[in-house]
Amino acid sequence: MPIHQSVLELVGETPIVQARRLDAGLCTLYLKLESQNPGGSIKDRIGLSMIEAAEKRGDIRPGDTLVEGTAGNTGIGLALVAQQKGYKLVLVVPDKMSREKIFNLKAMGAQVVLTRSDVAKGHPDYYQDLAAKLAQETPGAYFINQFGNPDNPAAHEFGTGPEILRQMDGQLDAIVFGCGSSGTMTGLSRCFAQHSPQTELILADPVGSILEEYINQGTLSEKSASWMVEGIGEDFLPPISDFSRVKKAYAISDKESFLTARELLEKEGILGGSSTGTLLAAALKYCREQTTPKKVLVFVCDTGNKYLSKMYNDYWMLDNGFIEREQQGDLRDLILRPYSQRDTVVVGPADLLVTAYQRMKLYDVSQLPVMDGDNIVGIIDESDALLHVYGDEARFRDPVSTAMVSKLDRIEAGSPIESLLPVFDRGHVAIVMDGPRFLGLITRIDLLNWLRRRVQ
């Protein structure tokens, strides 16, 4: 292997792995690991393509400011290239983007502007419209415009597509992809139309996007809903899109997407992102429908490292109703971290306040039960700790028992839901008991999450 002069030389030529433990029916399923690109996603390809093409045209030069709106990984691909080539980068991202991606972008030097994810194209806060406005208002800025930039699909027509056909020795019956800016779909469509016209193009689309209905029924809805999968799905047809060769589309729910991505990790050892789950779920549906063996390829669009706080976090999945525990029919159903399963983050009365503080920060909780063995003897929350140490930071070395509240709001597990409201009205958390046995805590957000799950 040669020694590379830049991380940008590592973009592309990603490996393909045959799935062995997933149920693909009569078909053989291949996984194209775009997660192995240096920025962790397939979008590294278009980040490099769009910037280098603009350089060749003389549209930009090092030191210029680039502006783009991105709902997924395009921002990281652009940040990688901009960092290496010496450009300033301003990215407008919707507020549903995982915090790992935002941390990644900022660490690479990009300026991140958060905007709303609950508005459609045409609204001034829609991420693409806001990005265009910022580019217009910033002197000398260059608007990347991935949704209307022909250098986006070109990356796949002349790069990704030929690469796949070479790796598969030209033997590919179907390929499954998602559509955000539509660059992957449009580029592959053009490539395969010329070099592999027998390859079927299959679209995976989040439930809520308008694209599945457009492909399967030929109708273009003016209404879309929200979805939590990042980077794919649309509420309009991107200007660069070409759907003419797409044979079929599958609408995949957020829940199925997330659970399928977790299944990929469990069975094949591949850590993929949220859109990977959507694509894989669609690919498996397609494969299981076939009555003759076919070779099918699906993209692992990006790495799941960017979603550890979301779809790979059991508590986030429970909060959002994507995984479920056995229901008890009482207040135990509202406890996010049951003590009996050793999920509850606790502290002891003799532990130092600094230990309690560190555990709150580490596990992102606002209060801790104080346990003496299996007996709850107090509660310590952020306010208790703050009032104790304010004015004398040395008190962080005091034991928890000196700051905890020992007058507790205990509620029996069989009590009605309404019994939680007076506890919350007093600014406390509910301590759920089964006689003398501590079961866990219920907070305001736990109740809100439980109520929200009931209307899903």
Side-chain angles (χ1 to χ4, degrees):
M1 294 291 289
I3 295 176
H4 295 280
Q5 300 304 306
S6 165
V7 70
L8 300 183
E9 295 178 6
L10 302 177
V11 175
E13 296 299 330
T14 57
I16 295 176
V17 176
Q18 181 178 334
R20 296 289 186 180
R21 300 181 63 195
L22 294 168
D23 177 12
L26 297 176
C27 297
T28 305
L29 183 62
Y30 299 90
L31 307 163
K32 175 74 165 160
L33 302 186
E34 290 299 297
S35 54
Q36 298 300 302
N37 280 301
S41 87
I42 193 171
K43 298 298 188 178
D44 288 3
R45 295 177 184 266
I46 68 170
L48 186 61
S49 173
M50 292 188 295
I51 289 179
E52 289 195 336
E55 287 177 329
K56 290 177 182 177
R57 291 191 299 268
D59 294 341
I60 57 174
R61 56 186 54 84
D64 286 352
T65 298
L66 313 180
V67 181
E68 180 59 330
T70 172
N73 288 296
T74 301
I76 293 176
L78 289 170
L80 181 74
V81 181
Q83 176 200 63
Q84 293 296 302
K85 288 178 171 288
Y87 295 99
K88 300 172 186 175
L89 181 63
V90 179
L91 294 170
V92 180
V93 303
D95 54 15
K96 74 174 183 178
M97 182 182 280
S98 71
R99 59 185 181 182
E100 286 92 346
K101 286 183 185 176
I102 293 172
F103 295 158
N104 192 340
L105 290 170
K106 290 183 176 180
M108 295 175 77
Q111 178 185 341
V112 176
V113 179
L114 280 176
T115 190
R116 295 168 60 183
S117 59
D118 61 343
V119 293
K121 188 170 179 61
H123 191 284
D125 288 332
Y126 188 65
Y127 70 102
Q128 296 168 36
D129 295 271
L130 181 55
K133 180 173 180 286
L134 288 177
Q136 188 176 22
E137 294 175 348
T138 303
Y142 178 78
F143 183 36
I144 296 288
N145 189 22
Q146 60 173 313
F147 290 84
N149 191 328
D151 302 317
N152 176 350
H156 302 293
E157 180 179 359
F158 303 109
T160 316
E163 179 183 314
I164 290 171
L165 292 175
R166 185 177 67 251
Q167 290 174 310
M168 297 294 296
D169 293 325
Q171 303 300 309
L172 183 62
D173 296 301
I175 186 167
V176 183
F177 48 79
C179 179
S181 66
S182 79
T184 303
M185 174 195 66
T186 301
L188 292 179
S189 179
R190 292 171 181 169
C191 173
F192 292 159
Q194 181 176 358
H195 301 292
S196 186
Q198 79 283 357
T199 301
E200 295 181 356
L201 304 183
I202 308 298
L203 176 67
D205 202 36
V207 169
S209 168
I210 67 169
L211 301 180
E212 180 267 342
E213 180 182 331
Y214 177 68
I215 295 299
N216 292 337
Q217 302 178 33
T219 56
L220 187 60
S221 175
E222 295 182 355
K223 294 183 178 180
S224 64
S226 61
W227 58 92
M228 300 179 76
V229 167
E230 298 181 32
I232 59 172
E234 278 303 341
D235 50 14
F236 72 106
L237 300 184
I240 59 172
S241 63
D242 178 2
F243 292 91
S244 61
R245 292 195 64 248
V246 180
K247 178 181 178 64
K248 187 172 184 178
Y250 294 86
I252 307 296
S253 69
D254 285 330
K255 180 176 182 178
E256 187 174 4
S257 297
F258 298 149
L259 293 179
T260 304
R262 288 165 67 112
E263 182 184 8
L264 176 64
L265 178 58
E266 180 183 350
K267 292 187 175 178
E268 302 289 347
I270 295 173
L271 183 65
S274 60
S275 60
T276 295
T278 309
L279 271 61
L280 179 58
L284 292 173
K285 287 180 185 293
Y286 173 84
C287 288
R288 293 165 188 167
E289 290 173 0
Q290 304 311 301
T291 56
T292 58
K294 291 184 177 181
K295 291 185 175 181
V296 181
L297 183 140
V298 63
F299 290 106
V300 176
C301 309
D302 69 342
T303 173
N305 287 334
K306 303 165 186 174
Y307 307 89
L308 296 177
S309 66
K310 299 178 82 172
M311 56 187 271
Y312 291 106
N313 177 350
D314 285 352
Y315 301 116
W316 185 88
M317 293 285 285
L318 282 164
D319 274 347
N320 287 280
F322 298 137
I323 58 176
E324 297 178 1
R325 293 193 181 110
E326 181 182 354
Q327 297 297 290
Q328 305 295 327
D330 57 27
L331 291 181
R332 284 175 289 183
D333 297 340
L334 281 72
I335 299 172
L336 181 62
R337 298 172 180 263
Y339 181 71
S340 62
Q341 298 178 21
R342 290 297 186 257
D343 276 354
T344 310
V345 184
V346 303
V347 71
D351 289 333
L352 303 182
L353 274 174
V354 68
T355 301
Y357 165 78
Q358 289 168 342
R359 289 182 187 172
M360 289 181 199
K361 293 285 288 182
L362 178 61
Y363 293 99
D364 194 23
V365 295
S366 299
Q367 60 282 311
L368 300 172
V370 184
M371 304 298 295
D372 186 1
D374 284 335
N375 298 316
I376 183 167
V377 295
I379 286 281
I380 179 79
D381 67 14
E382 294 169 332
S383 296
D384 301 325
L386 174 61
L387 292 174
H388 190 83
V389 303
Y390 186 77
D392 186 359
E393 292 83 353
R395 291 181 179 174
F396 269 115
R397 308 299 299 177
D398 290 352
V400 168
S401 59
T402 61
M404 71 183 191
V405 173
S406 54
K407 184 178 180 181
L408 305 177
D409 283 296
R410 292 180 170 90
I411 296 180
E412 280 296 312
S415 301
I417 297 290
E418 293 75 15
S419 63
L420 297 172
L421 300 180
V423 176
F424 297 153
D425 190 49
R426 292 192 293 272
H428 297 168
V429 297
I431 299 165
V432 184
M433 308 292 295
D434 180 14
R437 189 164 62 98
F438 171 61
L439 300 179
L441 303 180
I442 298 176
T443 66
R444 294 180 183 86
I445 195 65
D446 294 331
L447 177 56
L448 282 169
N449 286 334
W450 182 81
L451 291 170
R452 181 174 56 103
R453 289 195 296 269
R454 296 181 69 193
V455 298
Q456 286 182 342

